[in-house]
Amino acid sequence: MATIYYDKDADASALSGQKIAVLGFGSQGHAHALNLKDSGFDVVVGLRDGSSSAAKAREGGLTVKPIGEAVAEADVVMVLLPDTSQARVYGEEIAPNLEPGNMLMFAHGFNIHFRTIDPPGDVDVTMIAPKGPGHLVRRTYEQGIGTPALVAVHRDATGKALQRALAYAGAIGCARAGVIETSFEEETETDLFGEQSILCGGTSALVRSAFDTLVEAGYQPEIAYFECLHELKLIVDLMYEGGLSWMRYSVSDTAEYGDYTRGPRVVNDATREEMRRILDEIRGGAFAKEWIGEAEAGFPNFLRMRQEARSSRLEEVGRGLRRMMPWLESERKVPPT
Ligand code: NAD
Ligand code: MG
């Protein structure tokens, strides 16, 4: 059984009197910084010069400083910058300002696991990785509940790394929901595999293939969109509430029979074989090498694929349909161009 920690295991005194620098004010950064402040911790937000987030952070009542200064005055440094920027910022602004006994924290193990960041032996290196996007980490905290998280200790220099990390998890609300113990290796490999094979990659490829199949067979694109994308949420909500059995109990017998007999034809032995290859590329470092190379080249393939995907038939149909459902449209759901 996995070890799961809760509020009773997250003793805030492990961080008492310690200043926390949260680097970045994006999805995770804004949630961590505001939750820490509301939990009574001394927080400073570290941002690069000219960051457009600085005004928002100040509006939220937070102190903002350049990254190097924030690190220099903090005891705990949480790195919430894009994974592809962390190694450079670490080398230039974090490493020169770290002191023995500090704790360096991450919300994803990528850079430690793939060794693009190699912290000195006298600092604690830990991870608190919320299992949800930042706006949920903030919203659930305000509601008095929390988002589950993972905790991992890469290096315990002070002998108190786990207690300090758990105190942090308590302060951002995650220990209310449960904090599962893992390693940087396990978190990094399972996180990448999950987003590639199912959460983002697998699911969006299934949606696109099913939509295209119906449209190519002459059905109305609007009907295909509702069937293959829109309704997916209702099904996933049922899975989330009670697993596959509850979803199958709630749909018709006809749908359940189709699930058992047709599902394994769509996702078959060849798919599993490909999933194993994807996992091998992650574990062997080939994916990390490819993605770091893409970042170093200025994201040419990534930006081209993003543009192509946004102008697909599926997305155009969706934009039209959502205009009929204005309550679904918020500023946030329209990607910046
Ligand atoms: P984000 O892109 O939303 O925010 C990144 C922040 O860093 C922004 O405030 C931006 O101002 C700043 N920034 C961007 N480029 C920079 C640069 N070159 N130099 C300095 N600052 C820069 O990132 P995020 O999604 O919050 O991810 C942060 C970390 O949290 C990552 O390690 C990610 O893997 C992890 N994580 C994210 C989620 C999520 O749902 N978004 C969930 C769990 C873990
Ligand atoms: Mg993830």
Side-chain angles (χ1 to χ4, degrees):
M1 268 305 272
T3 303
I4 307 182
Y5 299 102
Y6 294 96
D7 265 340
K8 64 176 170 41
D9 310 302
D11 182 356
S13 72
L15 287 179
S16 69
Q18 300 181 35
K19 185 160 200 151
I20 303 173
V22 172
L23 308 186
F25 202 70
S27 173
Q28 290 292 324
H30 92 282
H32 290 225
L34 292 169
N35 292 3
L36 286 163
K37 180 178 79 71
D38 289 350
S39 293
F41 285 84
D42 187 8
V43 188
V44 55
V45 175
L47 292 176
R48 57 188 160 168
D49 291 335
S51 166
S52 57
S53 311
K56 264 185 280 171
R58 289 199 181 95
E59 266 169 46
L62 292 155
T63 306
V64 177
K65 299 212 167 151
I67 291 176
E69 268 179 51
V71 174
E73 64 185 46
D75 306 284
V76 173
V77 179
M78 175 51 115
V79 185
L80 296 174
L81 309 170
D83 294 307
T84 47
S85 313
Q86 291 182 8
R88 190 188 51 75
V89 176
Y90 176 81
E92 291 171 5
E93 294 172 88
I94 301 175
N97 294 297
L98 278 179
E99 287 165 52
N102 283 176
M103 175 162 68
L104 185 63
M105 301 186 74
F106 296 88
H108 178 37
F110 191 95
N111 287 287
I112 292 292
H113 180 60
F114 293 116
R115 298 176 200 284
T116 60
I117 293 179
D118 184 17
D122 52 13
V123 304
D124 289 343
V125 181
T126 63
M127 165 171 38
I128 292 295
K131 289 280 99 182
H135 71 269
L136 275 186
V137 175
R138 179 58 181 159
R139 191 196 301 160
T140 55
Y141 177 89
E142 289 181 303
Q143 290 167 339
I145 49 180
T147 304
L150 305 181
V151 60
V153 175
H154 172 69
R155 182 171 295 139
D156 184 7
T158 64
K160 295 190 177 124
L162 179 63
Q163 289 89 325
R164 292 170 96 189
L166 289 175
Y168 185 99
I172 63 169
C174 293
R176 296 170 183 166
V179 183
I180 307 178
E181 193 161 65
T182 184
S183 62
F184 273 65
E185 179 185 30
E186 184 179 58
E187 185 277 339
T188 305
E189 293 175 353
T190 56
D191 189 72
L192 292 172
F193 178 78
E195 65 203 19
Q196 292 174 18
S197 67
I198 171 150
L199 302 174
C200 309
T203 302
S204 60
L206 260 188
V207 165
R208 214 170 48 233
S209 297
F211 173 85
D212 288 347
T213 301
L214 287 178
V215 172
E216 280 161 21
Y219 297 98
Q220 299 181 73
E222 293 78 7
I223 300 289
Y225 185 89
F226 269 113
E227 194 56 45
C228 302
L229 187 147
H230 190 82
E231 279 193 49
L232 187 59
K233 172 170 169 36
L234 313 176
I235 294 297
V236 171
D237 283 350
L238 292 167
M239 291 185 193
Y240 179 84
E241 285 164 19
L244 294 176
S245 301
W246 175 239
M247 180 277 284
R248 286 168 174 155
Y249 172 79
S250 305
V251 301
S252 68
D253 286 353
T254 311
E256 184 178 357
Y257 178 75
D259 170 342
Y260 297 135
T261 57
R262 267 57 179 179
R265 287 169 55 186
V266 175
V267 176
N268 51 31
D269 287 345
T271 319
R272 283 182 196 227
E273 190 46 49
E274 198 58 46
M275 284 185 178
R276 280 191 285 272
R277 271 197 290 273
I278 287 169
L279 184 57
D280 285 344
E281 288 169 14
I282 292 167
R283 296 170 80 157
F287 173 76
K289 190 160 173 255
E290 175 185 325
W291 179 224
I292 291 166
E294 179 69 15
E296 281 168 356
F299 300 106
N301 297 302
F302 178 62
L303 295 175
R304 174 182 44 75
M305 290 185 284
R306 176 185 275 173
Q307 205 46 49
E308 283 166 8
R310 281 186 186 167
S311 52
S312 68
R313 179 84 185 263
L314 173 80
E315 288 295 276
E316 273 167 30
V317 172
R319 277 190 287 273
L321 283 177
R322 286 193 304 274
R323 276 197 282 275
M324 293 164 27
M325 300 177 282
W327 60 91
L328 291 180
E329 285 285 9
S330 75
E331 232 178 314
R332 279 196 199 136
K333 293 201 182 79
V334 182
T337 45

